[in-house]
Amino acid sequence: MASVTSHLSVEIINPFIQSTINALETMAFIKPAIGKPYLKTKSNPVCDVSGSIGLIGEIAGTINVNFETDVICKIVTNMLDEPHDEIDNQVIDAVGEIANMIAGGAKGRTQEKGMDFNIALPNVTVGHKHSHAFPHNIPVIVVPFTTEQGEFTVEVCIRKN
Amino acid sequence: MPEMKVLVVDDSSTMRRIITNSLERLEFNDIVEAVDGSDALNKADGCNLIITDWNMPEMNGLELVQTLRGSEAHKSTPIIMVTTEAGKNEIVDAIKNGVNNYIVKPFTIDVLKEKLEAVLKIRLKDV
């Protein structure tokens, strides 16, 4: 984590980690285990569906939350108390809402530390084993999480203004 | 449960479903859904409780509240804002504009029940 924290402080990344856990624990009754964050240069996580949300203000950039099918289907099944086993419109909408909750939760936690930002409306991308490209001048931190159904990742590409 | 028509406003079908499911468990049976502020204004007639998101396309939740508070029909209708905007500044802004209570996503059904009881001044069934 030392190389990661040299680029962006834990103080800024932690709100996104905490709000991810809080969103899934509260709405889907799933407590994901956090893995070791790493810089994206070493590995490029792939997924089947992802939610992206833009941030602008004293902190600016993008966060993505990336899921494989089995993981997001279990999450949405729990959230809505009805079975979902494929990426349908309801699952796509839920991914956007999860991205929204992660960014919104992080915003509240970040404000407590004296920094503020606004969040845009989320975008959702669907595609088997897709990944994301980011600007080269901003480090991207990948935070892996594990659930019983598999892993998902949150990519944080932000800078302080 | 007293006769009550509830308007749920959110651009996310997931969140509308979660709120509606929770309301039904709390024995609210007359629920109308709207996808943004503009849609809500067309469906607000006869509603005596409004639960709205903040960030929505077309007309956002704050603009919706301002418009409703300017109308005779809804100047005192209970309004709860349910949103990811978890900052203190946003909460203060919402209350100043006429929101009666505020729920930050993610939330549990217990939190929704507590806020409903506070706003409606009634006791709801335990869930």
Side-chain angles (χ1 to χ4, degrees):
Chain A
M1 188 72 184
S3 60
V4 173
T5 55
S6 66
H7 291 280
L8 200 60
S9 75
V10 170
E11 185 182 53
I12 293 177
I13 294 296
N14 272 353
F16 293 92
I17 295 173
Q18 290 163 359
S19 63
T20 301
I21 293 170
N22 186 40
L24 294 187
E25 201 171 6
T26 308
M27 301 308 280
F29 321 110
I30 288 172
K31 186 170 186 176
I34 180 176
K36 188 175 180 184
Y38 58 90
L39 282 171
K40 190 173 166 117
T41 49
K42 292 184 178 173
S43 170
N44 202 19
V46 293
C47 61
D48 299 326
V49 60
S50 59
S52 304
I53 199 155
L55 318 176
I56 188 157
E58 288 170 276
I59 290 173
T62 305
I63 64 148
N64 288 338
V65 56
N66 309 312
F67 297 102
E68 291 191 352
T69 303
D70 288 351
V71 178
I72 191 59
C73 285
K74 175 62 177 171
I75 289 169
V76 179
T77 294
N78 283 11
M79 283 174 83
L80 298 178
D81 195 23
E82 63 183 23
H84 285 270
D85 55 13
E86 60 181 7
I87 298 176
D88 54 18
N89 286 340
Q90 188 64 71
V91 170
I92 291 168
D93 181 89
V95 171
E97 193 56 28
I98 291 167
N100 201 23
M101 285 190 278
I102 292 171
K107 174 179 173 150
R109 290 174 170 85
T110 306
Q111 272 188 354
E112 288 169 8
K113 299 178 192 304
M115 292 174 285
D116 200 5
F117 58 84
N118 290 317
I119 57 180
L121 293 170
N123 289 308
V124 178
T125 305
V126 181
H128 184 58
K129 303 290 180 196
H130 73 270
S131 62
H132 295 275
F134 292 89
H136 294 296
N137 58 339
I138 307 175
V140 182
I141 297 171
V142 183
V143 186
F145 293 91
T146 306
T147 71
E148 279 182 19
Q149 281 65 40
E151 283 196 359
F152 70 94
T153 57
V154 173
E155 294 172 300
V156 182
C157 176
I158 54 176
R159 59 180 160 76
K160 278 171 100 169
N161 280 331
Chain B
M1 186 60 227
E3 289 300 315
M4 187 160 278
K5 186 175 177 183
V6 188
L7 177 59
V8 175
V9 192
D10 201 306
D11 59 319
S12 163
S13 60
T14 303
M15 198 48 64
R16 291 198 307 274
R17 184 85 68 85
I18 288 169
I19 294 170
T20 299
N21 287 350
S22 300
L23 288 170
E24 286 172 350
R25 285 181 62 195
L26 293 165
E27 298 185 332
F28 289 84
N29 297 313
D30 192 358
I31 304 167
V32 181
E33 295 184 20
V35 299
D36 59 34
S38 300
D39 190 27
L41 289 177
N42 291 328
K43 294 175 176 173
D45 268 6
C47 291
N48 31 31
L49 170 64
I50 297 167
I51 300 175
T52 183
D53 184 25
W54 184 317
N55 286 322
M56 294 180 288
E58 299 300 325
M59 176 186 276
N60 69 34
L62 206 58
E63 292 165 334
L64 170 64
V65 173
Q66 289 165 345
T67 305
L68 290 170
R69 288 307 185 220
S71 75
E72 193 58 33
H74 293 292
K75 65 181 182 187
S76 57
T77 302
I79 302 177
I80 297 176
M81 184 83 85
V82 183
T83 174
T84 57
E85 293 285 344
K88 263 186 194 163
N89 303 345
E90 284 74 21
I91 295 173
V92 170
D93 216 15
I95 301 288
K96 273 185 185 168
N97 277 281
V99 167
N100 297 85
N101 218 320
Y102 200 96
I103 299 175
V104 176
K105 301 174 193 174
F107 62 93
T108 63
I109 189 171
D110 291 329
V111 170
L112 178 63
K113 175 176 179 272
E114 180 190 316
K115 302 286 183 174
L116 288 167
E117 287 180 336
V119 163
L120 301 175
K121 298 180 174 54
I122 56 172
R123 177 111 175 99
L124 296 168
K125 69 168 279 196
D126 289 328
V127 287

